[in-house]
Amino acid sequence: MQTINSTLTVAAIQYDIRWLDPQANFEQLTQLISEHFANHSAVDLLLLPETFTTGFCINRDDVQAPANGGQALAWLKNIAKQYNCVVAGSVLVSHNHKKVNRFYWAHANGQVDYYDKRHLFRLGNEQDHVEAGTARKIFTINGIKILPLVCYDLRFPVWSRNRQDYDLMVNVANWPAARRHIWDTLLKARAMENQSYVVGVNRVGTDGLNIAHSGGTSIIDFCGENLITAQDNQQQIIRAELDFSKLKQFKEKFPAFLDADDFSLAHCEQVSHHT
């Protein structure tokens, strides 16, 4: 079992995404981040919701989705450099005559990693416009291994099963208020079954399809307990320092992972990034 003795400070931004208006979202986020860091210390990882520049507009062909990440990636890299941390959130990116829902990780040194959303939201016909990702990825920040997920991925425990290859799971979402109970429940379930810290980042407000979102952005420990949760229907940045020595001690006392079933994922590439 990996020895973990470090901490990681994580911040998550819950906000009302302006529909189809990237520039307004860049300006809004820049202000929220500036105000937060004027009163708080630095973080290692700053997380934004799914499709943070436009809202969940998968069927809009008139919305630009540059293959290179365009202005969205440039903005992420700039904020990462300015605040000396990893800044991460998902955007729609052109790919193979469709799009991918790409969860970018921009590092302060200019390096960029990404994970493409694997599970596409059938109820919203995401599969008609978006191509599913094929790689389950693990990113590393300061020695802490992190599994990135996007929204609907949360419903699929096999994809997120901890093979003792990560210490923290993060999920960024546009999860509707109508199914908020499921979001709250599954975040805790994933933390408990995988003996991992979990951060879930959701938006608030009503989008251009008249779908309401109430938030539920939370940082959860490996026992499924909320360390901090944003207020419902409010724009807010929450943060917590995660102590991975506590996770190590817990797993030594309760090593349920030793009794886990062996399995393999078909048609999936396993990728790790070390930073």
Side-chain angles (χ1 to χ4, degrees), residues 96-143:
N96 291 343
H97 306 293
K98 282 188 174 183
K99 303 167 185 170
V100 287
N101 194 335
R102 181 157 292 174
F103 190 2
Y104 276 121
W105 286 62
H107 300 261
N109 64 3
Q111 176 186 341
V112 176
D113 296 315
Y114 68 85
Y115 159 74
D116 290 339
K117 183 179 181 181
R118 170 67 171 175
H119 299 92
L120 304 180
F121 187 51
R122 187 173 300 276
L123 187 62
N125 299 315
E126 188 174 12
Q127 72 279 359
D128 293 341
H129 309 279
V130 176
E131 188 171 303
T134 59
R136 180 183 182 276
K137 296 189 177 182
I138 304 293
F139 301 142
T140 304
I141 301 175
N142 298 343

Side-chain angles (χ1 to χ4, degrees), residues 6 8 12 47 77 83 98 115 128 132 148 159 165 175 223 264 266:
S6 56
L8 196 74
L47 293 163
K77 292 170 70 174
Y83 293 99
K98 282 188 174 183
Y115 159 74
D128 293 341
W159 185 249
D165 57 354
W175 200 284
C223 293
S264 62

Side-chain angles (χ1 to χ4, degrees), residues 57-58 73 88 124 129 175 183 211 213 221 271:
C57 60
I58 54 169
L73 182 55
H129 309 279
W175 200 284
W183 165 260
I211 297 173
H213 306 78
D221 76 6
V271 181

Side-chain angles (χ1 to χ4, degrees), residues 250-264:
F250 174 75
K251 292 172 81 169
E252 287 174 345
K253 292 179 180 179
F254 192 78
F257 62 91
L258 294 177
D259 299 316
D261 301 301
D262 291 332
F263 69 97
S264 62

Side-chain angles (χ1 to χ4, degrees), residues 1 12 36 58 61 67-68 80 86 99 106 111 119 122 124 128 177 190 198 224-225 241 255-256 271:
M1 181 173 155
H36 180 81
I58 54 169
D61 293 332
N68 63 359
V86 174
K99 303 167 185 170
Q111 176 186 341
H119 299 92
R122 187 173 300 276
D128 293 341
R190 297 292 164 264
V198 169
E225 299 291 340
E241 183 180 76
V271 181

